Amino acid sequence: MADPAEVLGDLRAEGEALDDLVARIAPERWATPTPAPGWTIAHQIAHLAWTDDCAVRSTEGAEAFQPLLDKGLAAPDSFVDEGAALGAALPPPELLARWRAGRERVGRALAGQPEGVRLPWYGPPMSVASMATGRLMETWAHGQDVADALGVTREPTARLRHVARIGARARNYAYAVRGLTPPAEEFRVELTAPDGDVWSYGPPGAVQRVTGPALDFCLLVTQRAHRSEVAVTAEGPDAEHWLDIAQAFAGPAGAGREPGGSRREPGGPGGPVQPPVEPGREPGRSDR
């Protein structure tokens, strides 16, 4: 189980890294299209601000969160886009200030939760560590969309371990969400971290294996890169198939990106898959 304080620290750092990227661009560049069809840089930041607000509301209890859940269930195909569009309509300085304030509220709210609390979300309740991990994954993935739009190459950090862990643990979910039966045997996943260390998941003696750079694996499981564009390899037919359908986010199966960068399908409120303890399925599409 991840240490909530550690994840919250990494979440803060991930937000600051993206903040540094967008704070330096001219206001007119916030209208730059990103790989998500119909979404500009402003939409990406607005989505993060909106989901941060949702996360804060979740810390206020199930009754306070219920209206948000009702809205999502009433319009599963549009409520995420609507939330992003509202924020994207704000002047960039105002949107940036809103996102910054929301990040601070999330950090304070999650840090102040009692041990063992379960927070309501668009699916089964989540622990504080899981909620923080989901916010980190979303920040990193949407930050990648922003970086791609700006033509910026980001240096990978050790914070990717949170995204990689979700991606590895979400193996069976990728099958289940497509109506497929997961393989009976576990895989071994060995990823080369940015510092050269190896992050490993699954039994060491597993016959079927997945290996490659942690960054490439994270891009693949968040569907920020096409499989043909990453150096992730599989040994075994089941592992080979998994890499074609892998997703770290909860929600219906995502279509992923086409080679060259554009994603075919928009997404949803975002959140980690937590099998087998926290399936965490959300309404809407969560591959944005």
Side-chain angles (χ1 to χ4, degrees), residues 75-169:
D77 293 328
S78 62
F79 81 113
V80 173
D81 286 317
E82 290 170 1
L86 285 173
L90 298 172
E94 185 176 342
L95 174 56
L96 182 58
R98 176 190 166 192
W99 177 48
R100 286 171 171 170
R103 282 161 32 211
E104 288 297 320
R105 287 196 299 272
V106 167
R108 290 195 305 269
L110 291 180
Q113 295 302 300
E115 184 176 356
V117 70
R118 309 293 289 181
L119 303 173
W121 196 241
Y122 298 94
M126 294 196 290
S127 67
V128 170
S130 292
M131 180 68 78
T133 301
R135 301 308 312 129
L136 190 153
M137 179 178 69
E138 275 238 288
T139 303
W140 180 80
H142 290 284
Q144 186 63 45
D145 292 335
V146 172
D148 288 345
L150 295 173
V152 173
T153 299
R154 302 189 297 173
E155 289 296 320
T157 73
R159 297 190 296 272
L160 284 176
R161 68 190 184 278
H162 302 293
V163 183
R165 179 173 177 270
I166 294 172
R169 294 184 68 220

Side-chain angles (χ1 to χ4, degrees), residues 47-70 72-73 79-80 106 110 118-128 130-138 142 249-251 268-274 278-283 286:
H47 175 72
L48 291 175
W50 175 73
T51 44
D52 282 343
D53 288 345
C54 292
V56 171
R57 184 75 69 87
S58 77
T59 67
E60 299 170 359
E63 185 175 349
F65 190 77
Q66 190 61 45
L68 301 185
L69 184 57
D70 291 341
L73 293 172
F79 81 113
V80 173
V106 167
L110 291 180
R118 309 293 289 181
L119 303 173
W121 196 241
Y122 298 94
M126 294 196 290
S127 67
V128 170
S130 292
M131 180 68 78
T133 301
R135 301 308 312 129
L136 190 153
M137 179 178 69
E138 275 238 288
H142 290 284
F249 51 84
V273 179
Q274 299 290 341
E278 297 173 313
R281 178 164 183 169
E282 302 162 10
S286 302

